Amino acid sequence: MSSSSGPLAEELQCSVCLDVFTDPVTIPCGHNFCKSCLNQCWNNSETCICPLCKETFSKKTNLKINTALRQVAQLFQEKFSLSKSEVLCDICDETKIKALKTCLMCQTSYCKTHLDPHQRVMSLKKHKLMDPVENIKDYLCQKHERPLELFCRDDQMYVCSFCTDGDHKTHNTVTLEDESKEKKTHLMKTQKDVQQMIQDRNKKIEDIKHSAEFRKKSTEQEKAASVELFRDLMRSIERCQAELLEMMEEKQKAAEKQGEDLIQELQQEITELKMRNTELDHLLHTEDHLQLLQIDPSLCSPPHTRNWPEISMNTDVSVETLKRALTQLQETLDEKLKETVLRGMQQYAVDVTLDPDTAHPNLTLSDDGKQVRHGDIKQKLPNNPERFDHCTCVLGKEGFSSGRFYFEVQVKGKTRWSLGVVRKSINRKGKIIVCPQNGFWAVGLWNGNEYWACGNPPVSLSLSRKPQTVGVFVNYEEGLVSFYDVESRSHIHSFTGQSFTYKLYPLFHTCPNDKGKNSAPLIITPALQKIC
């Protein structure tokens, strides 16, 4: 490869074949080689040695082409036309032989034979030799016809030694070798930056693949949960339908029984009335006046019977039953939906442990890092930047910067508390305004029965029951933070449309123990145990 291509050519040169890279690969030590050259060096060898720095690798690396470096090499090939014709010796008379070197002082190219004087004669040894080039004038000063051996940094041009006594006398000039070294240093830095960019993009590809695989698994889980939900709903509908039909059947049987009883009673009355009618008919035709006057007075008026016009059959068999069945079905569906939502979030349960380096000095943490309570005695702890010194808070050790995560905290027995997530960079010293703008997403309890969501000002929450265990769910990419009452499976509050670009950490705020009234601990509990 011709040195006429400059310092860049040396950076793009494979140290094995001494030519511009073809399908370059980068090995762990950071050096680059043609893929075919490196494979040839490593063939039939148990260990792999870098041909340049001799670093040894225990096993063969999966060689992947450095696409960015390959593009640079291809552009270089196109720009400098490295595939040009051979330079021939200027001295050979008959058959021209390929030149070995070009002398800038003599402005002549020499083959191996005719180059011999430059290697023997002392005066010729001082001449500037280089790899053979056709356009020698490109390497000579146009003004002094001397070799371009220096570089003027002020004018950013190549100059000869005579130029430094003239137009460039006061300029900052350095040798081509020094300028080349500086260019190489810059190129090495650029190469490292390019390699880092490649690594970053490869990592991003892996992250995207991982995210896609994670989303695929999540979708499959959600599909399975949805199928199970609809199966449950169908079973509930079938059960309610069976109960409805059974109740309607019972109502029908009851109506039939009522009709039979009424008919029997009517027939009994008809029989009695017929007997009365026969008796009256007999009296009406008798001529025994004494007998007629001695009859029972009750025979002179109709017998006492039920008021049949006011009695009717109960024909409304299904309406009320249907209403009750539908109400029951709606309650069942609502309960199933709540259960499914909570189950869906609990699939993303993470193992949260309290971080003692962030805990306020008045807080006591359990040995397993799952419980925290407030005490009256202030412990002597280092006031490191991570520690809260005013608010009685502690954070979880684990931070999350992608995906979804969920954890549950028991708040039973407490009169004041707050829970949620925070960004890593929150202020932890002095009084803190808890709101999303300051990196807090939390809900809590004041004064035993006043629930709120953090904001500036706080947002009051109306809850139908007092939560004993609170579930915290975060969807990082969707900017969602939701809170749930685990026992009742009811939604407490959600922060939506947030933009997360930093790690989020679980937040636990015990609040002061209030002379023992609020001494109950906050307890991180395992998820997926609250629903049968």
Side-chain angles (χ1 to χ4, degrees), residues 261-273 308:
D261 292 344
L262 291 176
I263 291 172
Q264 185 178 358
E265 187 176 349
L266 283 168
Q267 289 176 339
Q268 179 66 31
E269 287 190 358
I270 290 172
T271 299
E272 292 177 356
L273 288 172
W308 289 103

Side-chain angles (χ1 to χ4, degrees), residues 249-423:
E249 186 69 25
E250 290 177 355
K251 287 287 185 179
Q252 179 62 32
K253 289 180 179 180
E256 291 176 357
K257 179 66 166 58
Q258 181 189 23
E260 291 173 357
D261 292 344
L262 291 176
I263 291 172
Q264 185 178 358
E265 187 176 349
L266 283 168
Q267 289 176 339
Q268 179 66 31
E269 287 190 358
I270 290 172
T271 299
E272 292 177 356
L273 288 172
K274 285 181 176 180
M275 293 175 62
R276 175 65 61 88
N277 185 60
T278 300
E279 187 175 356
L280 289 173
D281 185 63
H282 172 71
L283 291 174
L284 287 173
H285 290 84
T286 185
E287 294 181 0
D288 187 345
H289 302 294
L290 181 61
Q291 180 185 6
L292 185 63
L293 294 176
Q294 290 178 347
I295 63 172
D296 191 332
S298 63
L299 293 176
C300 296
S301 59
H304 178 70
T305 60
R306 295 182 64 175
N307 188 6
W308 289 103
E310 295 181 0
I311 296 175
S312 62
M313 286 285 293
N314 183 11
T315 58
D316 187 12
V317 177
S318 60
V319 176
E320 290 301 324
T321 302
L322 183 59
K323 286 182 179 179
R324 288 195 296 270
L326 290 176
T327 301
Q328 180 184 351
L329 178 59
Q330 184 64 52
E331 291 174 353
T332 302
L333 294 180
D334 291 344
E335 196 66 22
K336 288 292 182 183
L337 287 172
K338 289 180 182 179
E339 178 180 325
T340 302
V341 170
L342 191 56
R343 275 183 173 170
M345 292 186 299
Q346 288 178 327
Q347 293 177 10
Y348 302 98
V350 293
D351 184 17
V352 176
T353 306
L354 301 172
D355 184 0
D357 292 335
T358 65
H360 184 278
N362 278 87
L363 297 182
T364 301
L365 277 58
S366 61
D367 293 339
D368 62 358
K370 300 296 183 180
Q371 300 187 30
V372 57
R373 68 173 73 238
H374 181 271
D376 293 324
I377 300 176
K378 190 173 185 178
Q379 304 173 74
K380 293 182 179 180
L381 298 173
N383 188 20
N384 49 286
E386 297 84 8
R387 192 179 305 284
F388 291 91
D389 65 356
H390 181 78
C391 293
T392 56
C393 297
V394 60
L395 301 183
K397 282 185 179 180
E398 301 79 9
F400 304 89
S401 57
S402 65
R404 308 174 190 181
F405 62 95
Y406 174 85
F407 60 95
E408 294 179 355
V409 184
Q410 180 179 307
V411 296
K412 183 178 180 180
K414 296 192 67 62
T415 58
R416 291 181 63 191
W417 54 266
S418 60
L419 298 168
V421 292
V422 299
R423 68 181 179 217

Side-chain angles (χ1 to χ4, degrees), residues 138-315:
D138 292 344
Y139 299 87
L140 298 175
C141 176
Q142 300 299 314
K143 183 176 182 179
H144 303 107
E145 294 191 352
R146 301 288 295 175
L148 295 171
E149 301 176 306
L150 303 171
F151 183 78
C152 177
R153 288 179 173 173
D154 292 345
D155 294 334
Q156 289 292 299
M157 61 182 295
Y158 300 106
V159 297
C160 70
S161 57
F162 286 4
C163 293
T164 58
D165 294 329
D167 296 339
H168 300 271
K169 186 174 184 179
T170 60
H171 291 185
N172 179 17
T173 58
V174 295
T175 65
L176 292 182
E177 288 76 8
D178 289 343
E179 182 66 15
S180 177
K181 288 180 181 178
E182 185 166 326
K183 290 289 184 183
K184 281 186 178 181
T185 301
H186 177 72
L187 287 172
M188 288 175 65
K189 181 180 181 303
T190 302
Q191 185 186 42
K192 287 183 178 179
D193 292 342
V194 170
Q195 291 174 348
Q196 185 61 47
M197 291 170 68
I198 293 170
Q199 292 177 8
D200 292 343
R201 281 151 182 76
N202 284 332
K203 184 178 183 302
K204 188 64 177 177
I205 290 173
E206 293 301 318
D207 290 343
I208 292 172
K209 287 182 178 178
H210 176 74
S211 177
E213 185 63 26
F214 183 79
R215 183 172 293 278
K216 181 180 178 182
K217 290 181 179 178
S218 299
T219 301
E220 291 299 324
Q221 291 174 345
E222 290 172 0
K223 285 169 62 178
S226 298
V227 170
E228 185 59 29
L229 167 64
F230 282 105
R231 284 177 180 170
D232 287 347
L233 294 179
M234 289 302 297
R235 285 193 290 266
S236 298
I237 291 171
E238 290 172 358
R239 184 173 60 253
C240 290
Q241 183 185 34
E243 291 175 356
L244 174 61
L245 293 175
E246 183 179 354
M247 292 173 66
M248 292 177 69
E249 186 69 25
E250 290 177 355
K251 287 287 185 179
Q252 179 62 32
K253 289 180 179 180
E256 291 176 357
K257 179 66 166 58
Q258 181 189 23
E260 291 173 357
D261 292 344
L262 291 176
I263 291 172
Q264 185 178 358
E265 187 176 349
L266 283 168
Q267 289 176 339
Q268 179 66 31
E269 287 190 358
I270 290 172
T271 299
E272 292 177 356
L273 288 172
K274 285 181 176 180
M275 293 175 62
R276 175 65 61 88
N277 185 60
T278 300
E279 187 175 356
L280 289 173
D281 185 63
H282 172 71
L283 291 174
L284 287 173
H285 290 84
T286 185
E287 294 181 0
D288 187 345
H289 302 294
L290 181 61
Q291 180 185 6
L292 185 63
L293 294 176
Q294 290 178 347
I295 63 172
D296 191 332
S298 63
L299 293 176
C300 296
S301 59
H304 178 70
T305 60
R306 295 182 64 175
N307 188 6
W308 289 103
E310 295 181 0
I311 296 175
S312 62
M313 286 285 293
N314 183 11
T315 58

Side-chain angles (χ1 to χ4, degrees), residues 80-130:
F80 290 96
S81 303
L82 297 183
S83 58
K84 58 189 177 183
S85 60
E86 293 181 344
V87 177
L88 302 179
C89 177
D90 293 327
I91 307 300
C92 292
D93 291 330
E94 297 180 356
T95 303
K96 293 289 186 180
I97 301 176
K98 180 181 177 180
L100 184 64
K101 292 290 182 181
T102 295
C103 177
L104 292 179
M105 301 294 290
C106 302
Q107 301 184 28
T108 305
S109 297
Y110 299 100
C111 65
K112 183 177 182 181
T113 301
H114 293 117
L115 184 65
D116 183 64
H118 280 77
Q119 298 173 338
R120 289 186 295 100
V121 180
M122 187 60 64
S123 59
L124 295 178
K125 284 185 177 181
K126 297 179 180 180
H127 285 195
K128 179 71 174 178
L129 297 176
M130 61 182 295

